[in-house]
Amino acid sequence: MTLTLTGCGSGSGGGGVTLSLIAADYGDSKANSSQRYWDDLVRAFEEQNPGIKVDVKVYSWTDVDKKVEELVDAGKAPDMAQIGAYADYAARGKLYSADDLLSIPVQADFTPSLAQAGEYERRQYGMPFGASTRRLFYNKKLFTAAGITAPPQNWNDIVSDAQALKAHGVKIPFALPLGPEETQAETLEWMLAGGGDYTDQIGKYTINSPENVKAFEWLQKDLVGKGLTGGDPAKLNRGDAFAGFAAGDVGMLNGHPTLMKQAEAKGIDYGTVELPGTNGKAKATMGVADWMMAFKQNGHRAQVGKFLDFVYSQKNVLKFSADYNLLPVTTSASQAMLADDRFGKLHGFLNQLPNAHFYPADKTSWPLVSKTIKSRMGAAVGPQGNPSATLTDIQNTAETADNSAE
């Protein structure tokens, strides 16, 4: 596999080098651990590139970001890391850019919205690895039993459908997981549904915009206040909400492709639709991407580039996506998935990816802002909550962090 690397002085990529990669585990058991995916991929790569060995260590999502942080801080950065955030390392000058590493056809194959989300100061350092979008899931059996004939298209439909489900005895008509596990995701989904976002088009935080305030005041009054969330959203985590849907206790919730496998394993007959907005479909859905990055410290630019060109081949991207119910991050693999009826249930999620909105992961302030959202937004929609004041507090925190990072 001979590939032309961009950038000068990249060399031939041989010479008996062992590359190190720290990667996240997308599996939910030893049988489908990401270690198996990487072992197979590395075996095939090493057969074609006898001068390059690759050592992959897989860690749980709970541990992987911290592990990489510890190695970097100790001066022992891996050659590559596949984790949740890249901006801080890019800001500190520790990463190769994508165009330092990848052949032109491979770099050009990234889905444009994902490539852009991987940019820091307009240069791509984060190479997307796994991606997903969000849709509203609904339990068809519970809908039919409650006399609901169509899934919700707007916020009024959500309320009337949730009231019908509640009247029929459904335990959680609409699951609203604003517990600390993934509050920042659920928050962004409702911002987008209401016409808002975390930032504007030039990257300025807009957390307390009128659209965002209106969205969370609506959630507080019309969903939580009417007893349609089955309890306190601040105490409901995403994992528990997904488990509740798979158990048949939840009528509706926002979810990503992983929930399909969970629901099917428990025999739940479900449907998905684009996120409902105030007066129709939401302006956009939320997209999430995890990131591959390459550290400069060990100087293996040519060898890393050759390996990543192999990682991002259509065949390997499609296999990873199929194994873990994720969306391909390249145009070629996306087209292959859309052309294959085996992946029919993923097509709705995949069609939304080009226009999806992502976390402002290019901001070094984002980890602090995300942490603040996790600790505050659940209580904001509770009986004693004040969405406007909470969003303004978070906006002030975000602006201070953003200004100090400049």
Side-chain angles (χ1 to χ4, degrees):
M1 183 174 176
T2 305
L3 292 159
T4 304
L5 295 169
T6 60
C8 57
S10 56
S12 65
V17 165
T18 298
L19 303 176
S20 56
L21 166 61
I22 304 288
D25 195 353
Y26 290 82
D28 54 16
S29 67
K30 193 170 182 178
N32 71 343
S33 167
S34 296
Q35 190 71 56
R36 298 184 65 170
Y37 171 81
W38 285 113
D39 288 348
D40 289 345
L41 184 147
V42 165
R43 194 176 302 114
F45 174 78
E46 289 178 351
E47 284 177 5
Q48 296 182 28
N49 298 273
I52 308 173
K53 300 286 185 188
V54 186
D55 176 49
V56 183
K57 289 187 169 61
V58 170
Y59 294 84
S60 73
W61 273 110
T62 309
D63 302 323
V64 69
D65 288 273
K66 184 70 175 170
K67 179 65 178 176
V68 172
E69 183 183 350
E70 288 171 353
L71 288 169
V72 173
D73 289 348
K76 299 177 180 178
D79 291 291
M80 294 163 283
Q82 184 269 300
I83 51 177
Y86 66 86
D88 183 54
Y89 299 122
R92 289 154 63 190
K94 293 187 176 294
L95 301 180
Y96 288 118
S97 67
D99 55 9
D100 285 333
L101 299 163
L102 302 174
S103 63
I104 291 170
V106 171
Q107 189 178 2
D109 196 26
F110 286 129
T111 300
S113 61
L114 290 169
Q116 187 176 357
E119 291 179 359
Y120 174 75
E121 295 186 343
R122 303 198 175 187
R123 194 168 186 190
Q124 187 184 356
Y125 294 92
M127 292 162 275
F129 192 71
S132 69
T133 60
R134 300 296 202 266
R135 289 170 71 82
L136 183 135
F137 283 69
Y138 63 98
N139 183 312
K140 290 184 176 180
K141 183 179 177 181
L142 296 180
F143 266 51
T144 301
I148 306 167
T149 57
Q153 301 295 314
N154 56 49
W155 286 1
N156 287 337
D157 291 347
I158 287 178
V159 173
S160 59
D161 291 350
Q163 287 172 326
L165 291 164
K166 183 179 180 181
H168 189 68
V170 174
K171 188 175 176 183
I172 305 175
F174 196 106
L176 186 65
L178 288 171
E181 182 184 352
E182 206 190 33
T183 329
Q184 80 284 6
E186 192 74 16
T187 296
L188 179 54
E189 288 160 24
W190 288 102
M191 287 178 170
L192 292 170
D197 205 334
Y198 280 133
T199 58
D200 62 18
Q201 290 183 327
I202 60 170
K204 187 177 184 299
Y205 281 115
T206 54
I207 292 166
N208 65 337
S209 69
E211 294 85 358
N212 292 342
V213 170
K214 184 179 175 184
F216 282 88
E217 288 178 343
W218 177 85
L219 283 173
Q220 182 187 40
K221 176 175 170 282
D222 287 290
L223 271 191
V224 183
K226 292 178 180 176
L228 301 176
T229 58
D232 183 358
K235 295 178 180 174
L236 181 65
N237 279 321
R238 186 197 69 187
D240 295 329
F242 279 20
F245 188 80
D249 294 330
V250 173
M252 296 175 275
L253 79 170
N254 297 330
H256 54 65
T258 306
L259 181 54
M260 298 192 302
K261 182 179 176 184
Q262 215 171 326
E264 287 162 8
K266 294 293 182 73
I268 298 295
D269 186 15
Y270 66 89
T272 73
V273 291
E274 291 181 46
L275 300 184
T278 48
N279 299 306
K281 292 176 185 174
K283 73 167 187 178
T285 189
M286 185 185 87
V288 173
D290 304 316
W291 304 101
M292 178 73 77
M293 63 212 69
F295 289 88
K296 293 178 178 178
Q297 183 177 326
N298 301 319
H300 297 143
R301 178 161 72 104
Q303 295 91 343
V304 168
K306 185 169 280 194
F307 178 65
L308 291 178
D309 272 338
F310 186 79
V311 167
Y312 284 108
S313 68
Q314 178 186 310
K315 174 186 172 184
N316 287 328
V317 172
L318 190 60
K319 183 177 190 315
F320 176 79
S321 304
D323 284 355
Y324 297 104
N325 254 2
L326 289 164
L327 305 181
V329 297
T330 62
T331 301
S332 61
S334 296
Q335 290 171 343
M337 181 175 275
L338 286 171
D340 192 332
D341 290 341
R342 288 179 302 156
F343 303 113
K345 289 185 176 179
L346 282 169
H347 289 173
F349 293 91
L350 185 51
N351 283 325
Q352 297 178 157
L353 188 58
N355 297 312
H357 289 223
F358 297 84
Y359 301 135
D362 59 323
K363 289 178 171 287
T364 56
S365 57
W366 172 242
L368 172 63
V369 175
S370 176
K371 184 179 177 181
T372 308
I373 291 165
K374 287 182 177 186
S375 67
R376 299 288 305 275
M377 285 312 299
V381 298
Q384 310 304 317
N386 185 329
S388 179
T390 301
L391 289 166
T392 297
D393 284 349
I394 298 171
Q395 173 73 16
N396 292 337
T397 298
E399 287 180 350
T400 300
D402 216 25
N403 291 336
S404 66
E406 289 177 357

